Amino acid sequence: MKSSQQRLDDIIAKLRLNKFRITPQRLAILKVFLNSTEHPSVERVYKQVRADFPTTSLATVYKTVHLLKEIGEILEIGFADGRNRYDGLKPYPHPHLICMKCKAIIDPKLSNLDHLTSEVEQASGYQILSHQLEFFGICPACQKK
Amino acid sequence: MKSSQQRLDDIIAKLRLNKFRITPQRLAILKVFLNSTEHPSVERVYKQVRADFPTTSLATVYKTVHLLKEIGEILEIGFADGRNRYDGLKPYPHPHLICMKCKAIIDPKLSNLDHLTSEVEQASGYQILSHQLEFFGICPACQKK
DNA sequence: TCTTTACTAAGAACAATTATCCTTGAACTG
DNA sequence: CAGTTCAAGGATAATTGTTCTTAGTAAAGA
Ligand SMILES: [Mn+2]
Ligand SMILES: [Mn+2]
Ligand SMILES: [Zn+2]
Ligand SMILES: [Zn+2]
């Protein structure tokens, strides 16, 4: 498991390589992603960054999220109701488990799904590029209420 | 396999039972869903209904979609970009295969996923109520271009 | 018939995201 | 270290899919 610091350095190197500027705002946003296990929303990231950089605009967060998505360093978990969430720790397709009450999102342990993908690919003739799997339910904490 | 007509009658009975009125608009919208294998969008349904009822408003379609979702007779396939699609033929969770170019959506044949659900339920302590699984790729027709 | 309630059409409101436009500052040059 | 340049940031308007509100209509019930 790569350290958070190492990961940060790698992404910075990748940004430099692609001629993207390393700005304080980008660094701040990036750090939020690399230190969040809770799959934060844009709004969440914005609030956190504002704590250190009070002038940061929401548009900048959106732009940076877009950039990080583009270079494959964060994963977008898209929801129909427009409350997208992001995973900066595992930026590749993997299942998610969502509490319908408190909106907590965790990564469930689950056996690999590659066989499913190839099963579908074989049967359909589609060339499959990615997938998204979400389970919706009630978390243990919310069940108690 | 229940006939489309039988299904329509059943849903009408269910609506009546729950004191919802059977209006021409609702019937028209319902029929579009029961005769579409292509997972239509709200906009698509709207256009189709307008052909027979030119004064129908988009809001009515949204409301009817909401109602049919509520009573469990259509399945919403939610997308983050706000282009939701619906399945009136199989109104229960099942995988979908989406072409990223032409946006075609089909139901891939795929072995049952219940074991996955219980695997996650066991390991996490969450009570799982539903799930959503999508594969994104390029359909055979679009691959040729 | 009179009353009550559900429903529809139209358009306003809403909320997340994107575009615009001007200003700023990161990175490169010498 | 300047000086230069153009990508990036800040502020805010526009967009877009969806939901809400309102006022009018039609059906059901007394
Ligand atoms: Mn995750
Ligand atoms: Mn389907
Ligand atoms: Zn919860
Ligand atoms: Zn296609």
Side-chain angles (χ1 to χ4, degrees):
Chain A
M1 183 81 173
K2 230 181 268 185
S3 81
S4 177
Q5 185 58 54
Q6 182 56 57
R7 174 91 198 286
L8 181 60
D9 292 343
D10 288 351
I11 297 176
I12 291 172
K14 188 191 243 183
L15 285 171
R16 258 196 243 286
L17 194 71
N18 293 95
K19 307 286 185 211
F20 293 112
R21 293 182 184 163
I22 314 302
T23 65
Q25 293 89 337
R26 282 182 174 168
L27 271 183
I29 293 166
L30 195 42
K31 279 177 186 162
V32 172
F33 281 122
L34 297 190
N35 291 300
S36 305
T37 56
E38 77 271 9
H39 304 85
S41 63
V42 165
E43 200 63 35
R44 193 84 199 57
V45 174
Y46 176 62
K47 284 210 182 92
Q48 206 137 342
V49 169
R50 292 280 285 204
D52 295 329
F53 291 84
T55 70
T56 307
S57 111
L58 192 51
T60 297
V61 180
Y62 274 105
K63 286 175 193 166
T64 304
V65 163
H66 186 82
L67 172 63
L68 293 174
K69 217 168 44 173
E70 205 72 8
I71 66 171
E73 294 295 345
I74 61 174
L75 175 79
E76 182 176 72
I77 312 166
F79 292 101
D81 68 355
R83 309 267 156 95
N84 290 359
R85 305 276 289 266
Y86 298 87
D87 190 330
L89 300 174
K90 297 168 68 178
Y92 45 84
H94 61 278
H96 285 102
L97 180 46
I98 299 134
C99 177
M100 297 166 79
K101 285 204 169 159
C102 68
K103 310 297 176 193
I105 302 184
I106 66 171
D107 293 343
K109 282 186 232 313
L110 189 54
S111 44
N112 179 285
L113 298 172
D114 291 350
H115 64 287
L116 272 187
T117 302
S118 44
E119 190 181 332
V120 172
E121 209 156 37
Q122 298 278 319
S124 67
Y126 274 58
Q127 175 192 357
I128 295 179
L129 301 173
S130 77
H131 67 265
Q132 198 168 337
L133 171 57
E134 292 114 24
F135 294 93
F136 297 92
I138 311 293
C139 77
C142 287
Q143 282 174 45
K144 286 184 193 142
K145 293 169 197 164
Chain B
M1 183 78 172
K2 229 181 269 186
S3 79
S4 177
Q5 183 58 54
Q6 183 57 56
R7 176 91 197 286
L8 181 61
D9 292 343
D10 288 352
I11 298 175
I12 290 173
K14 188 191 240 180
L15 285 170
R16 260 195 242 288
L17 194 70
N18 291 97
K19 306 284 186 214
F20 293 112
R21 293 191 187 153
I22 314 301
T23 64
Q25 292 88 341
R26 282 183 176 168
L27 268 184
I29 293 166
L30 194 43
K31 279 178 188 162
V32 171
F33 281 123
L34 297 191
N35 291 299
S36 305
T37 56
E38 77 271 11
H39 304 84
S41 64
V42 165
E43 199 63 36
R44 193 83 197 59
V45 174
Y46 177 61
K47 284 211 182 95
Q48 205 135 346
V49 169
R50 291 282 284 203
D52 293 330
F53 292 85
T55 70
T56 308
S57 97
L58 192 53
T60 297
V61 179
Y62 274 107
K63 282 184 185 166
T64 304
V65 164
H66 183 81
L67 172 63
L68 293 175
K69 215 169 47 176
E70 206 72 8
I71 66 170
E73 294 296 346
I74 62 173
L75 175 79
E76 182 176 73
I77 312 165
F79 293 101
D81 67 355
R83 309 271 156 92
N84 290 359
R85 304 277 289 264
Y86 298 87
D87 191 330
L89 300 174
K90 296 168 68 180
Y92 45 84
H94 62 277
H96 285 103
L97 179 47
I98 297 132
C99 177
M100 298 166 81
K101 287 206 168 156
C102 68
K103 310 298 177 192
I105 302 184
I106 66 173
D107 294 343
K109 282 186 231 316
L110 190 55
S111 44
N112 180 284
L113 298 171
D114 291 351
H115 65 283
L116 273 186
T117 302
S118 46
E119 191 182 331
V120 171
E121 209 157 35
Q122 297 279 319
S124 67
Y126 273 58
Q127 175 193 355
I128 294 178
L129 301 173
S130 75
H131 67 264
Q132 198 169 337
L133 171 56
E134 292 113 26
F135 294 94
F136 296 92
I138 310 293
C139 77
C142 287
Q143 281 175 45
K144 287 184 194 145
K145 296 168 198 166

